[in-house]
């Protein structure tokens, strides 16, 4: 039977099909009227349609009806548009799991793409674009080219979107067949919806392409602005977003663009209004006329205010966007602060955002109104909202110097209410006010001290202790107040302990009498002997040495004049703010993060359905020498050599958060002992002699016999012997730390020594996104501490138990969603032979699973595993002797993908 040629007789479901659908072991006409419907001839379209509807209903609620594929596809040749839509919907859902059977529908697609009815033509092309099967993609090109030039605008606009879908499946095919040029031609179409869809499609393709695809010129600009007035609301959003990326030639052109876009501010759709605001804000940067800018600011205020009368969810999105806008252009809403006053029925997330914006809009002109609102909010029942309101009063005081006294008066009134959490939050913000205006409002300290017994939150306690220590000379009973905190010193949180330590030292330096002297002895003893907190202990030792050696120096350090804090209501960096403003009306403006911070953009890679991983039936062949390998890989005896030219030339800068090894006793550092066997010579330079008084260090992480080591070669190019070597590693992604002593003997001038330092994992893990950075500090008895940066190649963490059985590999690959897959090309790597490549990767515990051929290329499947059981399922595609290798991985630890590709690149370069 030819593809697409279907029987004309009645549609009879097989018994297995009936069992799958109804659960009966034998079909009987009396079991269900549906069986009769499906057995009727094609003329009875309505009843066949009802039968297919029931199949779709079962599919919709999650039942697997893929076994009905052939029977449902048999219904595709019909003149009934509704039935055809239902069958197409079924096809879209199941074509990926039944690609060979989906080919049967291709002839119908091609035929429907030439149907006299434009709805059917558009439906055929849309459905073919949604079926992500590479075999069907080849058949899609000709119908798509016809539809892009169709007489009917509905067909053309549907075809425009289909190009973007096809690009996602096979980018190379789209470019070769000239679809991108056809899309660009559609921008000049006389139908505005066709123009909008062409713009949307080109913008989508640009997002996934590494080279410029869609660039607006002055010629296309006028066409887009013309289409803007006539297309639908979402078409307007697409065009406005595209126009926002256009940079006007001069101020005159920017004014013209803004004039054409301004009417969109009055649109009922929130997305259109916000997109228009974004567009105008970006063009305003080029407008030099202050009058025009002022008028534009007035015009943008009403639509932004209108957004705050929508549903709470839309209000929140609008408020997050307004938060960014007022940081850049506060004059837009300077006279509209009342619309941000909180209503009693606002959700808490809306109230919090309104508070933030009110702080940003607060000025000397409206501060009295704002303070009345904040004071009212401080009596609400929601504790988090009350805290935020009290803190907002303090932020207004810090921001507006002339209003600071009024803000403090409000805070004192709130303290008198005697509500515990209000009092504690007020003390926290008053501490910040003291830091902003030193020696100005100290008269209120007595009022604060009355609430000392009610403090139970660490931040409030720390703030009160800071106030007492900072103004100890003005508080008669400062020693008694601090002594009340000392009674519970060991049980206090670190934040309170650190502040109490510093405050006690300040008290002693300001009032060196017998009472404070006894207190300082008790505090220093508690903070050095009876604590496990290294921060507290180190600070206590510093104070102790300062006080015992040079009290005047201690005064200069501890009682030094502090810098005045500034208003933090505009927290965002200007460059980040500009980037977020360019993304208004997107998720980026809601998160207040650039898109790259939460979206991983993967450039399009040509990939066929077959390549996603074969079904395990006859598609594999074992590579020679690997079919029977089941044990662990050979131990790695050579280090991963990386290019160190750039690193060796750079001057190692001190790392601020690395522990200072100077002054540490030997019990807290790893001290030298006897040397171990030297390791291979090819280690990169991490500390050049020219920048470290003649000491050169070559080092790299390696793996031996299931253990990670730091292989080091130390050369003494100075004039004196070096001994007493110590080493320390800073916090890092994998918590790598020294697992034993650094065994380096005294090194005479002109000689060197090698060592292997065993490493342990997850001892001191750094927060944040994964990084391969390894910060190291090394010192000896003759020189200062030397800091340098090294890399953690992920390959040294690949464990020996990373091999997977083929069935397990296949099952895991299928169970992981497509979102857990990411690919990268290595265009310069040329595979000399499959066996050599597999041997090279096996040395790093990347285990071979299977191999197959595809289009004259070898496709290799491997597995690897890093600590904590994170697997990497690897697919390598390359042709022997031809530059270019594609590496695709699936993993549960997607955040580790950049480190994996970095390690893979290093392995392939060896």
């Amino acid at each position: 039977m030819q593809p697409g040629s279907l029987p004309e007789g009645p549609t009879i479901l097989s018994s297995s099909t009936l069992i799958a659908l109804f659960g009966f072991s034998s079909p009987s006409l009396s079991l269900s009227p549906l069986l009769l419907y499906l057995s009727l001839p094609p003329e009875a379209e309505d009843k066949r349609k009802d039968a297919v509807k029931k199949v779709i209903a079962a599919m919709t609620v999650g039942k697997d009806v893929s076994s009905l594929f052939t029977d449902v596809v048999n219904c595709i040749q019909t003149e009934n548009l509704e039935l055809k839509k239902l069958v197409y919907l079924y096809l879209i859902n199941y074509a990926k799991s039944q690609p060979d059977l989906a080919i049967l529908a291709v002839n119908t697609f091609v035929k429907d793409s030439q149907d006299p009815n434009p709805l059917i033509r558009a439906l055929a092309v849309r459905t073919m674009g949604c079926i992500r099967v590479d075999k069907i993609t080849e058949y899609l090109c000709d119908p798509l080219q016809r539809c892009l030039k169709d007489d009917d605008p509905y067909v053309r606009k549907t075809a425009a979107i289909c190009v973007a879908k096809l690009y996602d499946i096979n980018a190379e095919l789209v470019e070769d067949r000239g679809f991108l040029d056809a899309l660009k031609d559609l921008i000049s179409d006389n139908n505005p919806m066709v123009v909008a869809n062409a713009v949307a499609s080109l913008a989508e393709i640009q997002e996934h392409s590494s080279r410029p695809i869609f660039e607006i010129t002055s010629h296309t600009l006028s066409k887009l602005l013309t289409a803007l007035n006539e297309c639908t609301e979402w078409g307007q959003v697409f065009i406005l977003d595209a126009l926002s990326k256009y940079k006007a030639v001069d101020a005159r052109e920017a004014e013209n663009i803004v004039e054409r876009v301004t009417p969109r501010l009055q649109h009922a759709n929130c997305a259109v209004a916000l997109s228009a605001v974004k567009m105008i804000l970006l063009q305003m940067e080029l407008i030099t006329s202050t009058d025009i800018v002022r008028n534009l600011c007035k015009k943008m205020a009403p639509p932004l205010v209108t957004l705050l009368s929508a549903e709470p969810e839309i209000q929140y999105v609008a408020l997050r966007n307004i938060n960014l806008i007022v940081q850049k252009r506060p004059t837009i809403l300077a006279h509209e602060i009342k619309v941000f006053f909180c209503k009693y029925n606002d959700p808490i997330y809306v109230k919090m955002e309104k508070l933030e914006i009110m702080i940003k809009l607060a000025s000397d002109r409206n501060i009295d109104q704002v303070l009345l609102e904040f004071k009212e909010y401080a009596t609400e029942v929601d504790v988090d909202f009350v805290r935020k309101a009290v803190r907002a009063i303090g932020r207004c005081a810090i921001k507006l110097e002339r209003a600071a006294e009024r803000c403090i008066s409000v805070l004192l009134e709130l303290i008198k209410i005697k509500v515990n959490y209000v009092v504690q939050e007020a003390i926290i913000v008053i501490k910040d006010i003291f830091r902003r205006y030193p020696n100005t409002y100290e008269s209120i300290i007595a009022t604060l001290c009355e609430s000392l017994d009610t403090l139970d939150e660490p931040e409030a306690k720390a703030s009160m202790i800071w106030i007492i220590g900072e103004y100890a000379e003005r508080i008669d009973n400062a020693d008694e107040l601090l002594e009340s905190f000392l009674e519970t010193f060991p049980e206090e949180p670190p934040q309170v302990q650190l502040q109490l330590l510093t405050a006690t030292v300040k008290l002693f330096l300001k009032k060196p009498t017998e009472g404070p002297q006894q207190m300082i002895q008790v505090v220093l003893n508690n903070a050095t002997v009876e604590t496990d907190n290294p921060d507290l202990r180190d600070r206590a030792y510093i104070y102790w040495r300062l006080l015992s050696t040079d009290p005047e120096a201690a005064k200069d350090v501890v009682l030094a004049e502090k810098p005045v804090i500034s208003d933090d209501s505009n927290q965002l960096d200007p460059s980040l703010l500009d980037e977020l403003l360019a993304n208004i009306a997107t998720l980026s403006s809601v998160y207040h993060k650039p898109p790259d911070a939460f979206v991983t953009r993967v450039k399009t890679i040509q990939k066929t359905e077959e390549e996603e991983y074969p079904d395990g039936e006859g598609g594999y062949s074992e590579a020679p020498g690997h079919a029977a390998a089941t044990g662990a890989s050979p131990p790695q005896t050579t280090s991963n050599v990386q290019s160190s030219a750039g690193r060796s030339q750079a001057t190692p800068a001190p790392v601020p958060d690395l522990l200072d090894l100077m002054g540490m006793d030997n019990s807290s550092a790893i001290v030298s002992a006897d040397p171990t066997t030297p390791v291979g010579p090819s280690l990169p330079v991490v500390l050049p002699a020219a920048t470290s008084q003649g000491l050169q260090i070559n080092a790299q992480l390696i793996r031996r016999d299931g253990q990670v080591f730091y292989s080091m070669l130390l050369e003494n190019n100075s004039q004196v012997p070096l001994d007493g070597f110590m080493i320390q590693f800073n916090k890092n992604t994998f918590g790598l730390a020294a697992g034993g002593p650094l065994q380096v003997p005294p090194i005479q001038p002109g000689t060197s020594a090698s060592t292997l330092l065993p490493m342990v994992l997850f001892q001191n893990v750094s927060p944040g996104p994964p990084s391969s950075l390894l910060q190291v500090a090394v010192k000896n008895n003759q020189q200062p501490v030397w800091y340098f940066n090294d890399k953690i190649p992920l390959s040294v963490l690949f464990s020996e138990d990373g091999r997977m059985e083929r069935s397990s590999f296949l099952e895991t690959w299928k169970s992981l969603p497509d979102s857990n897959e990411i690919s990268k090309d290595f265009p310069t790597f040329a595979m000399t032979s499959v066996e050599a490549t597999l041997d090279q990767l096996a040395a790093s515990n990347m285990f071979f699973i299977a191999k197959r051929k595809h289009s004259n290329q070898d496709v290799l499947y491997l597995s690897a595993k890093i600590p904590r059981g994170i697997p990497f399922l690897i697919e390598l595609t390359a042709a022997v002797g031809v530059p270019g290798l594609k590496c695709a991985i699936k993993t549960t630890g997607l955040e580790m993908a950049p480190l994996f590709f970095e390690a893979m690149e290093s392995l392939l370069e060896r």
Side-chain angles (χ1 to χ4, degrees):
M1 184 187 298
Q2 294 298 318
S5 59
L6 300 171
E8 295 295 333
T11 303
I12 305 297
L13 296 184
S14 64
S15 59
S16 60
T17 297
L18 295 172
I19 293 168
L21 187 57
F22 303 108
F24 296 111
S25 58
S26 60
S28 171
L29 293 179
S30 62
L31 294 179
S32 169
L34 180 59
L35 304 184
L36 294 172
Y37 298 158
L38 287 170
S39 302
L40 290 172
E43 289 76 16
E45 295 291 358
D46 289 340
K47 295 182 179 180
R48 297 178 73 201
K49 181 174 66 180
D50 290 338
V52 177
K53 276 184 179 179
K54 285 182 166 39
V55 174
I56 298 295
M59 180 183 80
T60 306
V61 297
K63 293 182 180 177
D64 182 11
V65 288
S66 59
S67 57
L68 307 178
F69 194 92
T70 305
D71 303 280
V72 175
V73 169
N74 283 345
C75 299
I76 200 171
Q77 289 187 341
T78 174
E79 297 301 321
N80 187 306
L81 184 59
E82 188 177 356
L83 177 56
K84 190 179 286 287
K85 284 183 178 179
L86 290 170
V87 177
Y88 278 0
L89 181 63
Y90 180 90
L91 266 172
I92 291 171
N93 196 55
Y94 283 114
K96 195 166 187 177
S97 61
Q98 308 271 358
D100 294 328
L101 291 176
I103 291 290
L104 297 174
V106 165
N107 283 355
T108 305
F109 286 137
V110 176
K111 178 183 172 184
D112 284 351
S113 69
Q114 302 175 65
D115 194 276
N117 187 339
L119 293 177
I120 293 180
R121 295 202 299 274
L123 180 63
V125 172
R126 179 191 292 121
T127 306
M128 290 181 79
C130 291
I131 296 176
R132 302 179 60 83
V133 177
D134 197 61
K135 293 177 181 178
I136 289 184
T137 303
E138 302 166 9
Y139 297 94
L140 174 59
C141 295
D142 291 335
L144 182 56
Q145 279 182 326
R146 282 196 301 272
C147 290
L148 284 169
K149 298 176 182 177
D150 198 280
D151 293 335
D152 193 282
Y154 181 76
V155 179
R156 294 199 301 274
K157 82 180 185 67
T158 305
I161 294 297
C162 189
V163 174
K165 295 179 179 178
L166 181 59
Y167 188 90
D168 192 40
I169 302 170
N170 194 332
E172 187 177 353
L173 182 65
V174 169
E175 296 181 15
D176 292 345
R177 296 295 293 263
F179 288 127
L180 294 181
D181 295 330
L183 267 185
K184 293 172 185 175
D185 292 340
L186 288 182
I187 293 178
S188 303
D189 199 278
N190 55 9
N191 185 285
M193 270 314 301
V194 176
V195 176
N197 279 20
V199 169
S201 188
L202 284 167
E204 177 74 17
I205 291 170
Q206 182 65 78
E207 290 288 330
H208 296 88
S209 176
S210 55
R211 62 184 184 83
I213 298 288
F214 181 37
E215 294 178 336
I216 297 176
T217 63
S218 55
H219 175 66
T220 55
L221 176 66
S222 61
K223 296 182 183 298
L224 294 182
L225 289 172
T226 302
L228 188 62
N229 298 321
E230 302 173 25
C231 61
T232 64
E233 50 194 18
W234 294 111
Q236 293 179 38
V237 172
F238 291 138
I239 293 176
L240 286 169
D241 286 346
L243 288 174
S244 66
K245 295 179 173 62
Y246 175 72
K247 186 167 178 138
V249 177
D250 51 28
R252 184 176 182 82
E253 187 181 33
E255 291 170 17
N256 291 335
I257 294 172
V258 168
E259 186 179 353
R260 301 279 293 275
V261 171
T262 302
R264 306 275 76 72
L265 291 172
Q266 313 305 322
H267 203 285
N269 188 301
C270 305
V272 176
L274 276 177
S275 294
V277 168
K278 170 173 68 175
M279 175 70 185
I280 293 172
L281 282 172
L282 294 173
Q283 297 301 333
M284 280 171 64
E285 296 295 317
L286 296 171
I287 297 175
T288 54
S289 171
T290 53
D291 291 337
I292 293 177
V293 170
R294 191 183 306 112
N295 288 333
L296 288 173
C297 289
K298 287 181 182 178
K299 289 179 180 178
M300 281 192 284
L304 292 174
V305 170
T306 303
L307 292 176
L308 299 182
S309 59
E311 296 82 0
E313 294 80 8
I314 293 178
Q315 283 188 53
Y316 177 76
V317 172
L319 288 166
R320 293 293 283 176
N321 283 273
I322 290 170
N323 195 324
L324 298 173
I325 293 168
V326 298
Q327 290 185 50
K328 185 72 172 180
R329 302 272 181 182
T331 54
I332 293 176
L333 294 164
H335 301 289
E336 305 288 348
I337 194 167
K338 283 188 177 180
V339 303
F340 299 104
F341 288 176
C342 299
K343 300 173 185 174
Y344 75 95
N345 58 348
D346 279 340
I348 184 65
Y349 54 86
V350 170
K351 287 182 177 179
M352 294 294 196
E353 283 306 312
K354 284 185 174 180
L355 274 182
E356 281 294 327
I357 295 170
M358 288 169 67
I359 296 168
K360 290 177 171 61
L361 294 178
S363 63
D364 293 325
R365 187 179 61 256
N366 59 27
I367 188 63
D368 291 328
Q369 273 183 310
V370 171
L371 286 177
L372 280 173
E373 280 294 308
F374 287 166
K375 185 178 177 183
E376 186 69 26
Y377 301 157
T379 60
E380 293 274 353
V381 294
D382 190 301
V383 176
D384 289 334
F385 182 53
V386 170
R387 290 180 185 276
K388 188 91 170 177
V390 175
R391 196 156 289 204
I393 297 171
R395 287 174 62 183
C396 287
I398 294 169
K399 177 183 178 183
L400 305 169
E401 185 171 356
R402 284 189 286 184
E405 191 167 348
R406 280 173 281 175
C407 295
I408 288 177
S409 299
V410 173
L411 289 171
L412 290 177
E413 290 176 30
L414 293 175
I415 288 175
K416 290 175 184 175
I417 297 175
K418 298 294 183 183
V419 177
N420 191 21
Y421 53 85
V422 175
V423 172
Q424 301 197 79
E425 202 67 35
I427 288 174
I428 292 168
V429 299
I430 287 173
K431 178 258 296 180
D432 289 334
I433 294 173
F434 283 170
R435 293 174 64 196
R436 174 69 177 87
Y437 309 108
N439 305 315
T440 306
Y441 300 108
E442 287 72 25
S443 57
I444 67 172
I445 292 177
T447 307
L448 301 181
C449 291
E450 294 173 6
S451 306
L452 211 60
D453 296 336
T454 64
L455 304 181
D456 55 15
E457 296 175 7
E459 191 175 3
K461 281 186 178 180
S463 298
M464 192 68 225
I465 291 167
W466 181 88
I467 293 171
I468 295 170
E470 191 68 17
Y471 299 101
E473 73 278 11
R474 304 187 190 183
I475 304 174
D476 295 334
N477 61 336
D479 51 346
E480 295 176 11
L481 297 176
L482 287 179
E483 199 165 9
S484 65
F485 288 102
L486 288 177
E487 296 171 2
T488 57
F489 183 89
E491 291 80 35
E492 296 289 356
Q495 181 182 7
V496 177
Q497 291 178 330
L498 286 165
Q499 205 56 257
L500 196 52
L501 171 62
T502 303
T504 308
V505 173
K506 287 179 182 177
L507 174 65
F508 173 72
L509 292 173
K510 292 178 178 181
K511 294 182 177 180
T513 57
E514 183 178 350
Q517 192 166 0
Q518 292 176 348
M519 287 172 61
I520 196 70
Q521 287 291 341
V522 172
V523 171
L524 290 174
N525 184 65
N526 282 334
T528 54
V529 178
E530 299 181 14
T531 183
D532 294 327
N533 187 323
D535 293 336
L536 180 65
R537 186 173 59 242
D538 290 350
R539 187 183 293 190
Y541 274 127
I542 291 171
Y543 285 154
W544 202 329
R545 287 172 186 170
L546 275 171
L547 293 171
S548 59
T549 55
D550 191 349
E552 289 303 315
K555 281 187 179 181
D556 293 339
V557 172
V558 180
L559 303 181
E561 188 174 342
K562 282 111 185 136
V564 174
I565 66 171
S566 58
D567 170 36
D568 69 339
S569 57
N570 291 335
Q571 314 96 317
L572 295 177
D573 181 82
S575 60
L576 175 59
L577 179 60
D578 288 340
E579 185 176 358
L580 294 178
L581 285 171
N583 286 285
I584 279 181
T586 69
L587 205 56
S588 177
S589 64
V590 179
Y591 285 166
H592 286 189
K593 293 180 180 180
D596 294 340
F598 59 91
V599 175
T600 302
R601 297 192 190 281
V602 182
K603 300 304 179 187
T604 300
I605 295 171
Q606 290 71 47
K607 180 176 188 177
T608 65
E609 178 71 15
E610 184 183 54
E611 285 175 306
E612 288 198 359
Y613 190 71
D615 58 9
E617 297 182 10
Y620 297 103
S621 65
E622 298 286 356
H626 292 273
T630 56
S633 66
Q636 181 173 325
T637 56
T638 59
S639 60
N640 298 330
V641 181
Q642 298 177 2
S643 172
S644 59
R647 181 166 55 188
S648 63
Q649 296 301 320
T651 303
V655 182
D657 56 352
L658 199 56
L659 292 177
D660 185 1
L661 297 179
M662 297 300 290
M664 291 174 60
D665 57 23
N666 288 343
S667 64
S668 59
I670 300 169
V671 194
S672 64
D674 295 328
T676 60
T677 307
V679 193
S682 54
L683 297 174
V685 177
V686 292
L687 184 70
T691 60
S692 53
Q693 300 179 10
L695 172 64
Q696 177 170 303
I697 299 178
N698 300 46
Q700 190 171 48
L701 287 165
I702 65 168
R703 189 178 188 90
R704 270 193 178 184
D705 301 325
Q707 167 74 46
V708 179
F709 293 93
Y710 199 44
S711 176
M712 302 180 70
L713 174 66
L714 298 90
E715 297 182 15
N716 182 5
N717 298 308
S718 68
Q719 303 300 315
V720 296
L722 302 177
D723 60 13
F725 284 90
M726 294 184 286
I727 189 168
Q728 187 125 346
F729 297 87
N730 197 12
K731 291 180 179 180
N732 55 79
T733 294
F734 301 99
L736 277 167
L742 177 62
Q743 300 183 358
V744 180
I747 307 176
Q748 299 301 317
T751 63
S752 63
S754 298
T755 186
L756 272 181
L757 176 66
M759 304 290 286
V760 291
L761 288 165
F762 306 116
Q763 295 298 303
N764 205 7
V765 179
S766 65
S771 169
S772 61
L773 179 65
L774 180 65
Q775 298 174 323
V776 190
V778 172
K779 80 174 289 286
N780 55 68
N781 290 337
Q782 290 73 32
Q783 296 177 331
V785 181
W786 301 117
Y787 299 93
F788 58 86
N789 292 344
D790 202 352
K791 280 192 173 183
I792 306 173
L794 193 66
S795 53
V796 304
L797 303 179
F798 290 159
S799 58
E800 284 70 18
D801 61 346
R803 179 184 299 279
M804 299 176 70
E805 293 298 327
R806 182 183 298 181
S807 57
S808 175
F809 182 95
L810 180 62
E811 184 179 342
T812 307
W813 184 282
K814 288 182 176 179
S815 67
L816 291 173
D818 290 343
S819 58
N820 282 48
E821 182 175 353
I822 190 168
S823 304
K824 184 176 179 180
D825 284 332
F826 299 93
T828 59
F829 173 75
M831 184 166 63
T832 54
S833 74
V834 172
E835 289 74 19
T837 301
L838 291 174
D839 287 336
Q840 184 178 359
L841 297 176
S844 296
N845 289 336
M846 297 172 71
F847 299 99
F848 172 76
I849 304 295
K851 181 186 79 167
R852 65 186 176 89
K853 279 283 187 182
H854 175 72
S855 300
N856 298 321
Q857 290 184 310
D858 290 295
V859 183
L860 310 177
Y861 294 93
L862 304 99
S863 66
K865 187 166 73 173
I866 61 173
R868 295 189 169 170
I870 299 177
F872 287 92
L873 282 65
I874 308 155
E875 179 189 73
L876 302 179
T877 306
V880 175
V882 178
L885 176 140
K886 182 182 76 176
C887 177
I889 61 169
K890 270 195 173 185
T891 176
T892 54
L894 201 59
E895 69 281 356
M896 293 292 178
L899 303 191
F900 177 88
F901 290 131
E902 187 179 322
M904 177 63 74
E905 185 171 15
S906 176
L907 290 173
L908 295 175
E909 286 176 355
R910 283 159 54 178

